[in-house]
Amino acid sequence: KLILLDSLLQENTELVMSRLIPVPGCFLRCLVASHPDIPLPHGEEVMLGRGKVTKIKEARCSRQQVRMVSDCKSFTVSVTHVGINSSSVRGEVVGVWETVQAKHLDQVEIL
């Protein structure tokens, strides 16, 4: 079963000195709604694969299948494939240790 995730830009608000200020943040949203949104904090590495966060149980999917680093200023997410079996971004296969840039609303297939 393929789990399709799409990267979306989300505007959060943060209370700063008694004022609500919009703070950009990125997250992944499952297209089949099998799990909650996965936050991608700006500039922080997030490893995704088989496990509780994605609800992927397929043994062919590594526990560390893809590495994602979001850049909320440029509205992109750097996706690096690190697992053995293929992943894809926008329907194009991403090779092992290959990195591609995903943009707002791009679909990412973990397996």
Side-chain angles (χ1 to χ4, degrees):
K1 176 179 176 183
L2 295 177
I3 303 298
L4 300 176
L5 302 170
D6 82 291
S7 78
L8 301 171
L9 179 71
Q10 161 187 315
E11 285 212 359
N12 296 319
T13 55
E14 189 173 280
L15 189 59
V16 177
M17 298 180 72
S18 302
R19 294 176 38 192
L20 288 177
I21 298 174
V23 176
C26 296
F27 62 91
L28 292 172
R29 174 166 290 158
C30 180
L31 294 179
V32 296
S34 67
H35 57 77
D37 293 345
I38 300 170
L40 299 172
H42 175 75
E44 292 182 29
E45 181 179 288
V46 175
M47 295 295 283
L48 294 174
R50 177 172 36 108
K52 293 179 182 179
V53 173
T54 61
K55 306 282 193 240
I56 297 173
K57 296 179 182 176
E58 174 65 48
R60 293 184 311 121
C61 183
S62 171
R63 292 186 191 277
Q64 296 186 344
Q65 185 76 4
V66 293
R67 175 176 47 212
M68 298 186 164
V69 179
S70 70
D71 182 344
C72 297
K73 294 175 185 174
S74 67
F75 309 110
T76 60
V77 176
S78 175
V79 180
T80 304
H81 176 78
V82 296
I84 295 172
N85 291 303
S86 63
S87 297
S88 67
V89 175
R90 294 180 299 275
E92 298 177 19
V93 174
V94 180
V96 178
W97 294 110
E98 183 181 349
T99 300
V100 296
Q101 295 297 315
K103 298 175 285 194
H104 184 63
L105 297 177
D106 281 351
Q107 291 187 1
V108 178
E109 292 184 34
I110 303 275
L111 178 67

